Amino acid sequence: MKNNASLNEDFKIIEEIVGKVKEYKPFSDNNYSIGLEEGGGIFVVINKYSDFTIFKFLVNS
């Protein structure tokens, strides 16, 4: 995935994958706790590089 200019652009893409984000909170440097509008939540790790960004999703079952 291309490197996005801002965190807001990253979260627009994350919403396309997991659904509408109700809130997100930084967990550590590049880790975020995400609350979903449909209920539940996930963690996402955002790794930014010069030309692309990688998202890792951690789902608590």
Side-chain angles (χ1 to χ4, degrees):
M1 176 160 301
K2 73 178 182 104
N3 187 0
N4 297 311
S6 72
L7 191 58
N8 286 337
E9 289 181 20
D10 289 334
F11 274 96
K12 286 180 186 176
I13 294 169
I14 290 169
E15 281 188 330
E16 290 179 19
I17 297 169
V18 300
K20 190 75 174 161
V21 172
K22 182 178 178 180
E23 63 181 351
Y24 65 88
K25 298 176 187 173
F27 185 70
S28 65
D29 290 342
N30 61 342
N31 299 320
Y32 296 86
S33 171
I34 299 176
L36 301 173
E37 284 197 1
E38 295 179 8
I42 61 171
F43 289 97
V44 65
V45 179
I46 301 174
N47 293 314
K48 290 185 163 286
Y49 299 94
S50 58
D51 295 326
F52 59 92
T53 300
I54 296 176
F55 301 117
K56 293 183 211 173
F57 297 96
L58 308 167
V59 180
N60 187 8
S61 55

